[in-house]
Amino acid sequence: MSYKILLVEDDPSLCEIITDYFEEKSDYGYELEVVQKGDEALDSCLNNYYDLVLLDVMLPEVDGFTICKSLRKKSDVPIIFITAKGNEVYKLKGYSLGCDDYVSKPFSLAELYAKVGALIKRSKGLIREELIVIGDIKLNPHSREVFLNDDELNLAPKEYAILKILMENKNKIVTRESLLLRVWGYDFEGNDRVVDNHIKKLRKALGSSGNAIKTIIKAGYKMEV
């Protein structure tokens, strides 16, 4: 079985390097389609099916952030940003718009290949992840069960979704905007205070273990042990 990947990158030499590596290395028959302009990439993304998108930020015509935002309105295809802009501000913006991962130039081709493989497998349900565990909290992403000290918790759907995102991103900041987009969707007309309210409910449900959810002032939330 093969998987179709759209590579959006305006550097021809990098496109060639990535394409050659994936074709030589691929155990899954990855088929890479290359687009070098942002407007063409946006058209391809919205009118064709891909299993994953590798997306540069700085592109002619339309930038990668705009493409990601537009694509997320219609698709949950895995997106990995490939960019020289590796500072935290750009990463947080990328995650808030719905990207799944981020690789900063210069990067290891082996690392990129591994990230692509992991994301595609996860999105296709080809791997069965073990329980996600942080402290006394255990979350089963397949049965959607949450346990606290081995006692099952009955969380509301949105609180479960928030907890899952935070646990999957352990020790990483998840912005309010990202949670709002991923849990409530692009069509939600309220403000990000609704996230704070649900975080409050989630902490209460988790009891003392709710202290693992840290508030990061002017940024969002982070779950840590």
PDB file of all heavy atoms in Angstrom, residues 14 16 89 97 114:
ATOM      1  N   LEU A  14      16.234  21.260  -2.057  1.00  0.00           N
ATOM      2  CA  LEU A  14      15.703  20.565  -0.881  1.00  0.00           C
ATOM      3  C   LEU A  14      14.593  19.603  -1.278  1.00  0.00           C
ATOM      4  O   LEU A  14      14.500  18.498  -0.734  1.00  0.00           O
ATOM      5  CB  LEU A  14      15.189  21.579   0.144  1.00  0.00           C
ATOM      6  CG  LEU A  14      14.664  20.999   1.463  1.00  0.00           C
ATOM      7  CD1 LEU A  14      15.718  20.136   2.137  1.00  0.00           C
ATOM      8  CD2 LEU A  14      14.214  22.120   2.400  1.00  0.00           C
ATOM      9  N   GLU A  16      14.381  17.986  -4.027  1.00  0.00           N
ATOM     10  CA  GLU A  16      15.034  16.825  -4.635  1.00  0.00           C
ATOM     11  C   GLU A  16      15.641  15.923  -3.577  1.00  0.00           C
ATOM     12  O   GLU A  16      15.520  14.693  -3.639  1.00  0.00           O
ATOM     13  CB  GLU A  16      16.120  17.291  -5.609  1.00  0.00           C
ATOM     14  CG  GLU A  16      16.800  16.148  -6.339  1.00  0.00           C
ATOM     15  CD  GLU A  16      17.821  16.623  -7.361  1.00  0.00           C
ATOM     16  OE1 GLU A  16      17.964  17.859  -7.525  1.00  0.00           O
ATOM     17  OE2 GLU A  16      18.471  15.767  -7.987  1.00  0.00           O
ATOM     18  N   VAL A  89       7.628  31.374  18.891  1.00  0.00           N
ATOM     19  CA  VAL A  89       6.453  32.120  18.439  1.00  0.00           C
ATOM     20  C   VAL A  89       5.868  31.500  17.181  1.00  0.00           C
ATOM     21  O   VAL A  89       4.656  31.304  17.065  1.00  0.00           O
ATOM     22  CB  VAL A  89       6.813  33.594  18.182  1.00  0.00           C
ATOM     23  CG1 VAL A  89       5.632  34.328  17.547  1.00  0.00           C
ATOM     24  CG2 VAL A  89       7.214  34.273  19.474  1.00  0.00           C
ATOM     25  N   LEU A  97      -2.819  26.883  14.521  1.00  0.00           N
ATOM     26  CA  LEU A  97      -3.557  26.783  13.260  1.00  0.00           C
ATOM     27  C   LEU A  97      -3.903  25.341  12.906  1.00  0.00           C
ATOM     28  O   LEU A  97      -4.629  25.095  11.952  1.00  0.00           O
ATOM     29  CB  LEU A  97      -2.744  27.413  12.128  1.00  0.00           C
ATOM     30  CG  LEU A  97      -2.577  28.925  12.204  1.00  0.00           C
ATOM     31  CD1 LEU A  97      -1.609  29.411  11.123  1.00  0.00           C
ATOM     32  CD2 LEU A  97      -3.915  29.632  12.061  1.00  0.00           C
ATOM     33  N   ALA A 114      10.883   9.626  10.015  1.00  0.00           N
ATOM     34  CA  ALA A 114      10.260   8.965  11.168  1.00  0.00           C
ATOM     35  C   ALA A 114       8.979   9.681  11.580  1.00  0.00           C
ATOM     36  O   ALA A 114       7.965   9.033  11.904  1.00  0.00           O
ATOM     37  CB  ALA A 114      11.241   8.929  12.332  1.00  0.00           C
TER      38      ALA A 114
END
